[in-house]
Amino acid sequence: MKHLPLLAGLFGCLPVCAWALELAPTTIEGEQTAEPGLALDQPSGMASRLGLSVRETPASVAIANRDDIQRHGAKTFRDTANTLPGVNASAPPGFGGFVSYRGFTSSQITQMFNGISVATGLARPVDAWIYDRVELVGGPSSLINGAGSVGGSLNYVTKLATREEQAGEGQLTYGSHDTAGMAFGVNHALTEPGADVQHYARLDVSRNTNHSYIDRDTREAWSLAFSLLSDLTPNLSHTLALEYQDEHEDSPYWGTPVLNPKVGELKIDKHNRFNNYNVADGRYEQRTVWARSIIDYRINDSTTLKNTLYHLDSQRDYRNLETYQYNMSNSAVNRSTAYQVRHQGEQQGDQFELRHDAHVFGLSTTWSGGVEYKVNSTTNTPLNVPGNSTVDPNAFNPGHFYDIPRTRERFGKDKTNQVTTRALFVENRLGLTDTLSLLTGLRYDAIDLDVTNHRAVTATNPRHFKRSWEPVTGRVGLTYQFIPSANVYVQYSTAAEQPSTTTQVFDVSTGKQWEVGSKFDYLDGLGSATVAAYRIERKDFAVADPQDPTNSIPVGAQSSKGIELASSLRITPRLLAEGNFAWVDARYEDFNEKIVTGAVVSRKGNTPTNVPRRVGNLWLTYEFAEDWQGGVDARYVAQVYADNANTQTVPAYTLFGSFLRYQVNSHTSVTGRVRNLTNEVYAEFAHVSPAYYLGSPRTFELAIQTHF
């Protein structure tokens, strides 16, 4: 808390004070401004299929483009997501990509890749090199991506081939804990100018290795993206996009146990904070292959269509000893939960979109509509045994997985979940006047779940289990551009989420949001800002039945309300300030939890776990001279609860960083960066054990970047 007033004062005043200043129009040239900052006139990405800009969209939209990623030193797309307002993302091994946003977590935040929604577990942080941008839409957004998205949506967009004749870039990095990275990208025209058919290819490759700050934890990861853009006619183009990702981690870090007593603010033994209680041969591996075929066709000046056919194949393997807790005297650590599992996932589908500009009764209007079909199949092959052992945290032999009793037993497939989705969607923007526009949208999903049990058939675990849902979701919003450089908007949106349980007949969980906000430029275009206030309600999800602890009932309800601010300001020609701040009040309105004793306890009024009340970011970048640039940054995350009873808390933290960049010549730069300057000890995530998933200590990094 000690740093919060400083952070809030520095970047909170930027957008708020702007209302007291004279607002002036900004001249926009091209689709995206070259000036760093919010870039309100860049395309809004997945927030709308109507081709609107961020400014024109009546919703909270934040985008970190390629320049933002490099300027802020984001190493992975998770780091990039954390630069966006209100996002708190982490990567605990058992959770894949975990995101907290607007008071919601896990499946209530949809994570997409190139506009395609995938399983949360596939959202493990990947090197940011192959990504062009990360997009964020706040609140219910099922209209855009289907079931889910009560709290919001993140979209990670890969670099694709462009119509540049030749462009290349490369990067070498080395830093603390023997962290090394190599990356390069090249875009090249394959045909001579003037040819009837033009082809352009792009290839991006990155490799990263490191010995973690946690004992014995080592990681190696490869990412590759290749795309071929073909202009078949002046109006018809096709893009073939292929991606391959491979991650291998030995003896993964699974968390640091907290000391007894486990009440109030949880604490760890800082002397042993780098201990790894996993077995010596613990492992995490993931291999993912993407293939996309994208057709863009301009039928005429008013009508375009786009079709994306895709296939995804992924395999993840875990082999770890995962749970660690101190004994009552805090003199030894009890280890348990030996878990080995293979997740095999496959998804294929097709998205078709048609967009048309027209006039109705003299009013300009844009229509977008389409269909989507996808099949997602996942199969788990798990083995779970107790694996109990006790070790001295000051000196211990981690042992090996297959030395644990019963880990050599044969194990087979558990279940295969196949979800088939067919969807129809339509969206419209109607210009009611030159300054007032109405945005509406509607989506219908037909979702079929088919579960196949590969193990023994019982009354509660049949061979096949089928369920179907048909949710309808939508959005309506008004935008009023009261002066050329500023607008206000109001929006109402809904969402639907299929039940997490597959053994009972439940309907979809529903969500709705009211949001008001504004997007504006100030100080003759030197600054830009966004502000939004919202309330979200989610209901009808499964909770424990207080009358029958062995049963669940679909009566759960939770809500959140909050405010988000973001701004960038060119204070002087050499000094740039950027920042965002989010406050949220999240609580359960109706939630019953089954505790260890078997009793059912109400958690009404409590805050969900791992939801910080405040999150803020600040960056200051200064050009000392023509060839020298430096900067400082700060990130604040408020305390979170580690349990639904709200009796255990994980403390707030503030991280500071700095960088210094030297421009060797017009092509090459050298950057030195320090992260976590004060060597703060903090938890990125709180496990239910409970345990800390610790963030990185102070680290140093040197990077050489070149463009040619």
Side-chain angles (χ1 to χ4, degrees), residues 306-618:
K306 180 177 182 178
N307 191 85
T308 302
L309 180 69
Y310 65 89
H311 175 82
L312 162 69
D313 188 85
S314 179
Q315 179 175 299
R316 288 172 290 155
D317 290 285
Y318 295 85
R319 185 183 67 212
N320 301 283
L321 187 60
E322 300 180 359
T323 304
Y324 326 117
Q325 299 191 60
Y326 276 101
N327 61 5
M328 292 306 298
S329 63
N330 294 323
S331 60
V333 173
N334 301 317
R335 307 189 301 174
S336 60
T337 314
Y339 192 52
Q340 180 171 350
V341 65
R342 168 167 290 180
H343 299 302
Q344 290 178 297
E346 185 175 302
Q347 182 170 315
Q348 47 269 325
D350 188 79
Q351 295 177 342
F352 174 83
E353 305 170 23
L354 183 69
R355 192 169 78 199
H356 179 67
D357 297 321
H359 284 81
V360 177
F361 302 114
L363 303 178
S364 64
T365 183
T366 301
W367 288 92
S368 175
V371 297
E372 180 177 2
Y373 175 82
K374 64 180 179 181
V375 180
N376 187 326
S377 178
T378 58
T379 301
N380 292 341
T381 307
L383 173 67
N384 191 346
V385 299
N388 295 320
S389 64
T390 302
V391 297
D392 179 353
N394 297 305
F396 65 94
N397 180 353
H400 293 82
F401 187 85
Y402 291 115
D403 291 338
I404 298 173
R406 295 183 54 198
T407 53
R408 295 185 180 273
E409 295 179 4
R410 291 190 61 187
F411 65 102
K413 297 178 181 179
D414 181 18
K415 293 179 180 178
T416 296
N417 290 4
Q418 180 171 295
V419 180
T420 302
T421 303
R422 296 170 294 276
L424 298 171
F425 53 85
V426 64
E427 194 176 4
N428 174 257
R429 181 178 187 265
L430 179 64
L432 300 175
T433 70
D434 291 340
T435 57
L436 181 65
S437 62
L438 173 67
L439 183 73
T440 55
L442 202 64
R443 180 182 177 112
Y444 163 78
D445 285 277
I447 305 171
D448 296 324
L449 170 67
D450 189 343
V451 181
T452 300
N453 171 29
H454 300 287
R455 298 196 171 181
V457 176
T458 66
T460 58
N461 199 13
R463 177 65 64 194
H464 290 284
F465 180 88
K466 295 185 178 182
R467 288 290 180 267
S468 296
W469 302 274
E470 296 185 14
V472 176
T473 55
R475 174 174 67 186
V476 57
L478 276 170
T479 301
Y480 177 51
Q481 195 80 26
F482 59 92
I483 60 175
S485 61
N487 68 26
V488 291
Y489 69 87
V490 60
Q491 179 220 111
Y492 175 78
S493 59
T494 64
E497 179 187 1
Q498 67 188 62
S500 58
T501 177
T502 58
T503 58
Q504 293 175 278
V505 183
F506 289 164
D507 201 354
V508 293
S509 171
T510 60
K512 62 182 180 180
Q513 172 186 259
W514 281 100
E515 177 178 315
V516 295
S518 177
K519 303 171 186 181
F520 54 93
D521 302 315
Y522 59 95
L523 291 180
D524 292 330
L526 294 176
S528 57
T530 63
V531 58
Y534 62 87
R535 177 175 174 82
I536 304 175
E537 297 177 5
R538 176 185 179 230
K539 62 179 182 178
D540 301 331
F541 57 89
V543 298
D545 185 349
Q547 305 301 320
D548 181 4
T550 64
N551 193 29
S552 297
I553 53 177
V555 298
Q558 68 184 99
S559 68
S560 71
K561 58 183 178 181
I563 298 173
E564 292 173 359
L565 308 170
S567 182
S568 66
L569 175 62
R570 176 62 70 177
I571 299 175
T572 73
R574 292 188 174 188
L575 179 60
L576 173 69
E578 305 168 90
N580 52 63
F581 182 79
W583 170 84
V584 63
D585 178 13
R587 63 181 61 197
Y588 290 117
E589 303 293 347
D590 191 350
F591 181 65
N592 301 318
E593 182 182 30
K594 183 179 178 181
I595 60 177
V596 176
T597 62
V600 175
V601 178
S602 172
R603 303 303 189 195
K604 182 177 181 179
N606 288 5
T607 299
T609 60
N610 284 294
V611 172
R613 195 176 182 88
R614 295 171 298 278
V615 176
N617 293 293
L618 173 67

Side-chain angles (χ1 to χ4, degrees), residues 8 27 60 79 88 107 187 275 312 370 476 525 529 567 642 670:
T27 301
S60 292
D79 297 335
N88 190 35
S107 61
N187 195 98
N275 280 7
L312 162 69
V476 57
S567 182
V670 179

Side-chain angles (χ1 to χ4, degrees), residues 51-70:
L52 304 179
S53 68
V54 172
R55 189 190 305 273
E56 295 169 324
T57 306
S60 292
V61 182
I63 298 176
N65 58 37
R66 188 67 217 167
D67 290 340
D68 298 325
I69 293 172
Q70 294 180 336

